[in-house]
Amino acid sequence: MTSTLLPGNIVYGGPIPVRVAQDYRSLGQFIIDKYKSFGDQTVMIDAVTGTEYSAKFMYESIVRLAQILQKLGVKQNDVIGLSSENSVGFAVAMFAGFAVGATVAPLNVTYSEREVDHAINLSRPKVIFASKITVDRVAKVAKKNKFVKAIIALSGSSSNHPNVHSFLDLMNNDKFKTKPDFTSPVANKTEDVALIVCSSGTTGLPKGVQLTQFNLLATIDSQIQPTMMPLSEITLLTVIPWFHAFGCLTLITTATMGTRLVYLPKFEENLFLSAIEKYRVMMAFMVPPLMVFLAKHPIVDKYDLSSLMVLLCGAAPLSRETEDQIKERIGVPFIRQGYGLSESTLSVLVQTDDFCKPGSVGVLKVGIYAKVIDPDTGKHLGPNERGELCFKGDGIMKGYIGDTKSTQTAIKDGWLHTGDIGYYDDSFEFFIVDRIKELIKYKGFQVPPAEIEALLLTNDKIKDAAVIGKPDEAAGELPMAFVVKQANVQLTEEDVITYVHERASPAKRLRGGVLFVDEIPKNPSGKILRRVLRDMLKKPKSKL
């Protein structure tokens, strides 16, 4: 991968050398045809049950479900919601959705009812697939939203909602006569939205990022690079949630490459390590908290992890110390970092064998342009000058659903403005140094402080509040609140923590604690001065 500097200090990663996927009639057809071509090859393994699934099984299941969805009234460009932890049902439902030309909107399984309601009102799904742990919550919210016509329970359900169907009953129902093959409708690839993934804005509740079929197909083509080993011969482990953009997009790309994907629905120490040992896993998708676990946890020594060749780490920065500890402890030859956003369809920067300096997030992927601009003047900066990172290319989202204003703020003249501060060096390796955006990164999840602040202010005893990320080695950052109490009220740290705990999903809980202060520091326009709060953490004795 060789980047070049174009006039105006624009860095280019070079053209995508192949156009296999982009020229296909649709994303759904591409995935179906790929599964068909892999035959009896094992493509998925549930590491909890040990069940192995062949490409033939996936092909037949997707083709049948696609036809059932059509019989349930799902048409091209309708939306299908998907609220489930990692499971074969998740993959079949998503790919069947793509097959009929529908848009798939994954939902975070930890969402509270309030968050589910917000998310489905953005995407307005006609059908929602839900797992055992989410189906009752989804059914409850769906009752208030008439656009949801059916809920399909991927596993058991205690719901008495009249429109809840069992996935297995549908798949085994003789009433649905289906053909062994399926042809997807021809897509308008640059316009038809394949995925709506929820991305946390800094200003409140999540926004719906619209990724088109072309965004995904071009990204698949950009992955077909000469790598250390052919992806079709790799056994890969993932525990990254598939409802998260990083997890979802890696599921799609590995599915089209015939990779043997070993998955876990959630991280459990022994299961994670035993899966690597049992299936001789060669490659794993990681986030920094998992890397810290591999580097430091005593239990790791009890397992044979010698098959691991490559660890691909994303979602938050990884320290050099952790990387060195893993290499020394387990002997993993290749640890690679990357950088991407939901808005850019997977990574735009990735480390390679030749470009992997300590602290860097690598070089531009093929098909991507980058520039670094002065956040105040917009001036294009050169090598080793720090500014806001902006990217352009075939993976840049169509926009935020129903939010023209945010779309126009994020994308200007085709350039995605990331809100991250960084620079590239003389060999075009990129480094991230700071964030303009105020998102808290908790275990790879993006937590918007403004949303927690708004929630805190609904408590009558709280006069004002501000939330920042408190640095934490294992989790990255922990949400922490600074709270100004109303006069003459009784309010403890525990009260505040419980208040948020009962109303927000786990990533948004105040694990960093609560500090009571006399006032929240703000600039003349009323914007919270989070830097002052961060400085207070370093010098806790100072009073505001």
Side-chain angles (χ1 to χ4, degrees):
M1 251 187 273
T2 316
S3 298
T4 50
L5 192 62
L6 303 177
N9 282 330
I10 289 169
V11 187
Y12 179 44
I16 297 175
V18 287
R19 288 190 63 95
V20 179
Q22 297 159 77
D23 293 339
Y24 239 75
R25 61 185 288 140
S26 70
L27 174 68
Q29 195 67 49
F30 184 71
I31 292 167
I32 291 173
D33 289 356
K34 280 288 177 189
Y35 272 133
K36 193 174 188 178
S37 73
F38 300 139
D40 290 322
Q41 191 176 318
T42 299
V43 289
M44 274 195 176
I45 300 173
D46 180 332
V48 177
T49 64
T51 312
E52 302 195 4
Y53 300 96
S54 68
K56 185 172 185 281
F57 168 85
M58 293 299 291
Y59 173 79
E60 288 170 354
S61 304
I62 293 162
V63 162
R64 174 150 173 84
L65 183 58
Q67 294 172 76
I68 291 169
L69 285 173
Q70 287 181 330
K71 287 178 163 65
L72 291 174
V74 178
K75 299 187 294 295
Q76 190 170 8
N77 295 321
D78 279 345
V79 178
I80 288 171
L82 187 43
S83 176
S84 166
E85 60 281 19
N86 300 356
S87 70
V88 73
F90 182 115
V92 169
M94 178 166 73
F95 295 145
F98 292 158
V100 298
T103 301
V104 178
L107 301 168
N108 187 321
V109 298
T110 67
Y111 274 173
S112 62
E113 284 179 29
R114 176 184 74 107
E115 291 162 317
V116 171
D117 190 61
H118 170 77
I120 68 171
N121 273 285
L122 283 178
S123 57
R124 301 182 75 81
K126 189 180 265 189
V127 174
I128 303 176
F129 287 86
S131 71
K132 199 176 195 164
I133 63 169
T134 66
V135 68
D136 296 338
R137 200 177 328 144
V138 166
K140 209 167 159 187
V141 175
K143 267 183 186 162
K144 298 180 290 191
N145 293 287
K146 295 284 183 276
F147 51 80
V148 181
K149 303 300 180 202
I151 292 161
I152 298 174
L154 289 168
S155 40
S157 165
S158 59
S159 175
N160 54 10
H161 191 284
N163 293 335
V164 174
H165 308 277
S166 153
F167 176 70
L168 285 175
D169 288 354
L170 286 176
M171 293 297 272
N172 297 327
N173 192 333
D174 294 338
K175 186 179 82 177
F176 292 111
K177 300 277 185 266
T178 55
K179 300 188 183 87
D181 289 308
F182 186 80
T183 305
S184 280
V186 176
N188 180 346
K189 289 178 287 197
T190 53
E191 288 300 316
D192 292 355
V193 176
L195 275 179
I196 298 171
V197 287
C198 285
S199 166
S200 296
T202 47
T203 51
L205 283 159
K207 296 197 276 279
V209 174
Q210 300 179 95
L211 300 177
T212 64
Q213 295 204 17
F214 185 74
N215 288 153
L216 268 69
L217 290 164
T219 299
I220 289 167
D221 275 345
S222 75
Q223 301 293 107
I224 307 172
Q225 298 303 315
T227 52
M228 287 155 274
M229 46 191 125
L231 284 170
S232 57
E233 291 167 25
I234 286 175
T235 301
L236 192 150
L237 174 66
T238 186
V239 66
I240 314 280
W242 291 343
F243 60 72
H244 190 281
F246 179 26
C248 187
L249 292 158
T250 48
L251 167 63
I252 295 165
T253 51
T254 52
T256 63
M257 289 166 190
T259 308
R260 197 163 80 127
L261 191 63
V262 181
Y263 65 85
L264 283 163
K266 62 174 187 280
F267 176 69
E268 286 174 41
E269 293 169 358
N270 295 79
L271 260 178
F272 180 78
L273 296 168
S274 64
I276 296 171
E277 182 178 271
K278 181 178 177 184
Y279 298 110
R280 304 297 295 156
V281 167
M282 299 151 80
M283 202 169 181
F285 286 125
M286 304 290 281
V287 288
L290 288 181
M291 299 293 271
V292 172
F293 164 75
L294 282 185
K296 300 196 167 170
H297 203 290
I299 194 179
V300 171
D301 294 327
K302 296 179 181 159
Y303 291 85
D304 174 8
L305 308 182
S306 60
S307 60
L308 274 179
M309 296 291 290
V310 188
L311 294 174
L312 299 167
C313 189
L318 175 71
S319 75
R320 172 65 191 223
E321 294 73 33
T322 303
E323 191 175 320
D324 287 345
Q325 283 168 324
I326 291 172
K327 283 185 172 171
E328 201 173 310
R329 185 180 196 185
I330 304 169
V332 180
F334 303 104
I335 293 176
R336 297 283 175 258
Q337 287 200 71
Y339 166 87
L341 307 92
S342 306
E343 291 86 344
S344 67
T345 318
L346 213 53
S347 54
V348 284
L349 297 165
V350 67
Q351 288 184 336
T352 65
D353 292 359
D354 301 320
F355 298 99
C356 49
K357 289 192 186 95
S360 95
V361 284
V363 287
L364 278 175
K365 280 175 57 177
V366 290
I368 305 289
Y369 296 84
K371 63 180 179 180
V372 178
I373 63 167
D374 182 312
D376 299 320
T377 65
K379 180 186 169 215
H380 291 205
L381 304 175
N384 304 303
E385 295 185 296
R386 297 177 173 202
E388 183 181 12
L389 299 177
C390 303
F391 298 96
K392 195 174 188 172
D394 293 333
I396 303 303
M397 67 168 179
K398 185 177 182 176
Y400 299 113
I401 190 164
D403 192 343
T404 311
K405 190 168 168 236
S406 294
T407 302
Q408 287 168 347
T409 305
I411 301 175
K412 296 166 189 165
D413 298 325
W415 286 93
L416 176 68
H417 291 244
T418 66
D420 286 320
I421 298 289
Y423 66 94
Y424 57 90
D425 66 11
D426 295 318
S427 51
F428 305 118
E429 272 195 76
F430 281 75
F431 297 79
I432 312 288
V433 291
D434 201 0
R435 286 206 292 279
I436 301 174
K437 287 183 178 176
E438 294 161 346
L439 290 172
I440 295 162
K441 281 286 188 85
Y442 170 75
K443 292 191 172 180
F445 286 97
Q446 298 183 333
V447 178
E451 187 185 338
I452 308 175
E453 287 157 2
L455 185 57
L456 287 166
L457 293 175
T458 61
N459 185 321
D460 295 337
K461 293 182 177 181
I462 294 175
K463 182 180 176 185
D464 202 359
V467 173
I468 63 167
K470 181 179 177 180
D472 179 82
E473 188 183 29
E477 292 175 313
L478 302 172
M480 176 190 179
F482 292 78
V483 170
V484 181
K485 290 191 264 194
Q486 296 285 11
N488 310 317
V489 297
Q490 280 291 314
L491 186 70
T492 66
E493 179 180 1
E494 197 49 51
D495 293 338
V496 177
I497 289 170
T498 304
Y499 189 79
V500 174
H501 185 105
E502 289 170 351
R503 292 165 176 81
S505 46
K508 294 168 189 165
R509 292 172 189 164
L510 297 174
R511 296 171 202 274
V514 175
L515 198 59
F516 290 105
V517 292
D518 296 333
E519 64 173 333
I520 301 294
K522 294 180 182 175
N523 72 4
S525 67
K527 195 169 170 58
I528 294 168
L529 297 170
R530 294 181 206 278
R531 190 156 287 163
V532 176
L533 297 173
R534 287 191 194 98
D535 290 344
M536 266 190 73
L537 275 190
K538 292 170 196 156
K539 307 186 286 277
K541 290 189 176 65
S542 64
K543 270 300 241 180
L544 281 174

